Amino acid sequence: VHRSPHAQIDFPPLLGEKTAFDDVDNVQILDFNRDWAMEGMKELAAELGGEMWMCFPDRKELELAREEWPGAAYAAATLTTLEDAAEVLSGGSEQAWGASFARTAEGLFGTSNLGSAPDMADAPSPAVVFAVQPGEGGPLEDWLNLEKCQPSDGLLVSLNGAFDKLRGGYYPRILFPKLAECVDRFVGEAEALLVLRSVADKGRAGWLWRVYPEPWQLFAQGKEACVQIGEFESRPAYNDCVAMLLKAPPVA
């Protein structure tokens, strides 16, 4: 069993399919992350059954997952959303402004534009909660709900949740104090199961890579080759990676 109750998988979506010069919208990224999660977690879902909770950013994405990936192999897991899972696991959820009104309508009339509510009444307690693209491209409340989805006796895994953006202070603490507290308390403690992050400056390019439980590794990227130039027991700061990359000999 993994030693941390919260872990992350983070890599550039559409790597190898799109370049930095291509137009990429959030719909394409959502589609990629949804498909990667459904296909990549199929064996674990078959092993854990309903104890594997797959949490999507919203109910529309949940409906698309069911439509695009039919069949018993993909339905073995409990398919839900971050917000609905937070309601079950923590007794409440954070709601964006528009979603709050939609939830009120759902309570009054039994329906809303949120989409159909997942049936969680008979869902077993999760051994693994797998969150698909929490926060990135969606409301900030997704990250707050992610923390509420941590199972009491299990593992929470986030797929491409833009944790580097949060750790780097993209959202000013003075404007987003609740989110900043969540980052301090929760995001910073996430263990890296698999992380691939690009490093680039002054025409030089490289990659920071880690797969659990191996050390962190820094690679310099050339046109035809990729060479390891550093290894670390703990995650190095991005600026330290850039400095090491610039000092390294060019790679062909």
Side-chain angles (χ1 to χ4, degrees), residues 116-191:
S116 301
D119 183 5
M120 305 289 291
D122 297 323
S125 297
V128 174
V129 174
F130 194 89
V132 182
Q133 195 179 326
E136 178 69 343
L140 301 183
E141 287 78 8
D142 281 358
W143 283 305
L144 303 179
N145 283 328
L146 179 65
E147 183 178 15
K148 294 176 180 288
C149 287
Q150 190 156 353
S152 58
D153 187 22
L155 175 65
L156 172 61
V157 181
S158 306
L159 170 65
N160 288 338
F163 284 0
D164 284 343
K165 179 190 291 187
L166 297 177
R167 294 189 185 105
Y170 182 86
Y171 297 97
R173 180 179 295 268
I174 193 171
L175 298 178
F176 305 96
K178 197 169 184 178
L179 180 60
E181 291 173 5
C182 176
V183 173
D184 293 342
R185 180 178 61 242
F186 173 69
V187 172
E189 298 299 319
E191 180 72 79

Side-chain angles (χ1 to χ4, degrees), residues 73-86:
Y74 301 103
T78 297
L79 304 183
T80 184
T81 71
L82 283 170
E83 189 176 326
D84 289 293

Side-chain angles (χ1 to χ4, degrees), residues 204 218-220 227-232 241 244-246 248-249 251:
R204 301 292 300 277
L218 180 63
F219 292 86
V227 177
Q228 182 178 340
I229 59 174
E231 185 171 294
F232 319 88
C241 292
M244 185 173 290
L245 180 64
L246 295 177
V251 178

